[in-house]
Amino acid sequence: MTATLPGIEVRNPVDGTVVGTVANQAPEVVADTARALRRHQPAWEALGPDGRATWLRRYRDWLLDNAERIADVVAAESGKPRAEAVVEVPAICEVLNYYADNAATFLADERVKPSGVLSLAKKLTLVRQPYQLVGVITPWNFPVITPGFDVVPALLAGAAVLLKPSEVTPLSALEMARGWREIGAPEVFAVVTGAGDTGQALVDNVDYVQFTGSTRTGQRVAHRAVDRMIPYSLELGGKDPAIVLADADLDRAVPGIAWGALFNAGQACVSVERVYVEAPIYDEFVARLTEVVGKLRQGADAGGFTVDVGAMTTEAQRDIVVRHVDDALTRGAKATVGGKPTGPGLFLEPTVLIDVDHSMSCMREETFGPTIPVVKVADAAEAVRLANDSAYGLSATVWTRDIARGVQIARRLEAGAVNINDAAANLFATTLPHGGWKSSGTGARLGGAHGLRKYTRAKAITVPRVSALKREPLWFPYTARRIRFVQKAFQFIAAHDVRRWVRL
């Protein structure tokens, strides 16, 4: 008999009010849900890419028709401003349109050319078949975008999908599942809610895991997936550097870095968390950045787009940011603006820190909050060295008027993506992969055809071009004459040297 677990309250970080309660589903419930999804997956796969795309386009229409309601839910459970909540649905709809339009091409069988004479006698075909059940585990910072970026391509690939959102922001995912039901789509997408045990049960019941979240939890997911011999993809933490060269256009670099560091209150894996500025413009950059950050509007958003920076989503995350700021100030850093918790609610003032160095936690650990530590560097070489001095490598930015030089620097940075004169732009380039280096993860999402094919298994099929032979030369029984002939033939084929051919 399944145990009844206490429900989980979902609170608004702005004022602490309860906005919903969800079930803390036991492992047995997760297993039952997984079995149900598996029963429906073969028929879903049989629809083919075009048939599945038809359902996904209906789903897109439902999402757009209900976008304002979903934005209400996103804002209420995450504490983000309305301006940031309303972009989540359109963002996943763009991904949906791209993959729906291209699914048939990306998943089509491929005729493969022979590699040489040894395979010349065969017709070679590469086919792709979906994993039956894909598990997606997502964090609380982007409650619609993050699951959407993975659920949509997995469904289009032909898999059934089981989504486990963060227990902090599960209501948005439940809205996504409600939409799938309301359009009458096949029962191949479901959401389970709960804490860590629910996520563990998901990993134990699927054929492929896509995890987005902290490095520590991602490592546990990877270990369990390896134990089960199932593939996985991880997008983990970040400590993204920004390099500001002396020739940078500060009219763009300053607001760009301010937004790149502080959108979603800095609670983004691709947030700018370290800024390295060449000495000749350092003072001007800091003065301008302090002015921009000091004018940002923070507080409760009544829906009128009057707030720039919202609340921290969890008390635990706010406490981490406070610890980083306090550690920096204790070690000699200065806050040119901000630096204090404020409230009511889980707010922390947008903060600019100067006189920081790599001995401080705000420069080495993932902060995931509204802080901008700024370091003066002598030149680009020092900036690159410090930018690469991190356990993380998700993304980075370079700010310069010399685009060619910016690209050269980008090639030297140890990160999965580098944006020139922009922040987070790669997230919305569906044709580019989004993945991290080092402790920022393994594998990637999106990336054109890769984003769909990652949820499929490749299968090689060989067919004889002619059927004249009753027995292949290497089949039993072996004879000295036949094996010597085959040996000489193989050597002749492999040799790319006239002298060897003559000897043979």
Side-chain angles (χ1 to χ4, degrees):
M1 182 176 180
T2 301
T4 301
L5 302 176
I8 298 173
E9 288 185 339
V10 181
R11 294 184 176 271
N12 189 326
V14 172
D15 56 20
T17 57
V18 176
V19 294
T21 303
V22 300
N24 187 10
Q25 291 178 311
E28 304 94 291
V29 175
V30 177
D32 289 343
T33 305
R35 282 191 288 270
L37 290 169
R38 289 184 186 278
R39 286 197 298 271
H40 294 282
Q41 185 275 335
W44 175 248
E45 181 181 351
L47 288 177
D50 291 334
R52 297 192 293 269
T54 298
W55 280 111
L56 266 296
R57 292 188 180 104
R58 293 178 189 173
Y59 186 50
R60 172 205 58 204
D61 293 343
W62 184 93
L63 289 168
L64 293 173
D65 290 342
N66 292 270
E68 291 299 320
R69 170 184 164 78
I70 295 171
D72 290 340
V73 176
V74 169
E77 66 179 352
S78 71
K80 65 178 62 186
R82 185 76 181 181
E84 295 173 355
V86 297
V87 302
E88 298 217 10
V89 164
I92 68 167
C93 287
E94 180 175 341
V95 170
L96 187 156
N97 287 334
Y98 173 75
Y99 281 118
D101 291 345
N102 290 282
T105 299
F106 292 163
L107 298 175
D109 293 352
E110 291 184 32
R111 290 293 300 273
V112 180
K113 292 182 178 180
S115 58
V117 178
L118 297 183
S119 54
L120 190 61
K122 307 296 181 183
K123 294 178 181 179
L124 310 179
T125 305
L126 173 64
V127 302
R128 295 179 176 87
Q129 294 178 299
Y131 292 99
Q132 187 173 33
L133 181 56
V134 168
V136 178
I137 302 176
T138 56
W140 42 258
N141 54 335
F142 292 97
V144 171
I145 286 179
T146 305
F149 278 9
D150 296 313
V151 168
V152 164
L155 286 171
L156 279 165
V161 180
L162 183 57
L163 167 64
K164 191 275 180 191
S166 166
E167 63 271 27
V168 176
T169 56
L171 303 179
S172 299
L174 291 172
E175 286 295 303
M176 294 173 68
R178 180 171 73 90
W180 190 255
R181 292 194 302 272
E182 287 192 358
I183 66 171
E187 297 174 44
V188 289
F189 171 43
V191 173
V192 290
T193 57
D197 287 347
T198 307
Q200 169 81 33
L202 180 144
V203 178
D204 287 344
N205 284 277
V206 299
D207 306 313
Y208 184 108
V209 181
Q210 169 64 51
F211 173 85
T212 306
S214 72
T215 298
R216 180 178 300 176
T217 304
Q219 288 172 330
R220 292 201 293 268
V221 169
H223 283 302
R224 184 57 187 157
V226 169
D227 287 343
R228 293 196 56 231
M229 292 294 290
I230 63 171
Y232 60 89
S233 178
L234 311 175
E235 188 206 312
L236 308 177
K239 193 69 184 173
D240 289 9
I243 294 177
V244 186
L245 301 183
D247 71 338
D249 178 1
L250 294 186
D251 288 340
R252 180 172 178 83
V254 170
I257 288 173
W259 179 80
L262 302 176
F263 78 95
N264 202 36
Q267 299 169 120
C269 55
V270 294
S271 288
V272 174
E273 294 208 359
R274 302 173 287 148
V275 184
Y276 303 100
V277 185
E278 285 193 300
I281 61 167
Y282 173 82
D283 291 338
E284 182 182 0
F285 176 87
V286 170
R288 287 200 189 194
L289 183 65
T290 299
E291 181 181 7
V292 168
V293 173
K295 291 179 179 179
L296 294 176
R297 302 163 298 176
Q298 185 176 41
D301 191 342
F305 305 103
T306 57
V307 170
D308 300 309
V309 180
M312 303 291 295
T313 303
T314 73
E315 185 176 3
Q317 191 58 46
R318 184 197 60 183
D319 291 346
I320 290 173
V321 183
V322 170
R323 174 172 64 81
H324 283 194
V325 172
D326 289 347
D327 172 71
L329 296 177
T330 299
R331 291 171 176 267
K334 300 182 182 64
T336 64
V337 64
K340 299 181 182 65
T342 183
L346 299 177
F347 291 95
L348 182 75
E349 295 173 340
T351 303
V352 176
L353 294 170
I354 61 172
D355 297 336
V356 295
D357 60 53
H358 276 220
S359 70
M360 300 173 184
S361 57
C362 70
M363 296 296 289
R364 302 208 68 83
E365 301 174 13
E366 184 178 32
T367 301
F368 220 65
T371 66
I372 313 178
V374 185
V375 178
K376 181 193 295 186
V377 295
D379 52 30
E382 183 182 13
V384 170
R385 178 178 62 81
L386 291 173
N388 288 337
D389 181 21
S390 174
Y392 297 101
L394 193 56
S395 65
T397 67
V398 179
W399 304 81
T400 176
R401 284 186 170 92
D402 187 341
I403 301 300
R405 187 180 182 213
V407 171
Q408 289 176 351
I409 290 173
R411 292 178 182 276
R412 295 162 57 194
L413 292 173
E414 297 169 358
V418 182
N419 299 294
I420 310 296
N421 295 334
D422 209 337
N426 62 294
L427 278 179
F428 304 101
T430 308
T431 50
L432 285 175
H434 175 59
W437 292 14
K438 301 191 282 190
S439 293
S440 288
T442 182
R445 59 161 54 92
L446 305 180
H450 166 80
L452 210 60
R453 292 171 178 172
K454 67 180 282 187
Y455 296 114
T456 66
R457 292 164 289 192
K459 179 180 291 184
I461 298 178
T462 70
V463 177
R465 291 185 183 276
V466 293
S467 302
L469 294 178
K470 298 298 182 182
R471 186 189 303 267
E472 293 292 325
L474 278 178
W475 288 2
F476 299 133
Y478 296 144
T479 67
R481 180 181 178 185
R482 183 152 41 87
I483 295 302
R484 288 195 190 99
F485 172 79
V486 170
Q487 180 186 15
K488 293 286 187 180
F490 280 10
Q491 289 176 347
F492 188 88
I493 292 168
H496 282 251
D497 184 326
V498 174
R499 290 173 299 177
R500 290 183 181 275
W501 286 338
V502 171
R503 288 202 303 269
L504 288 170

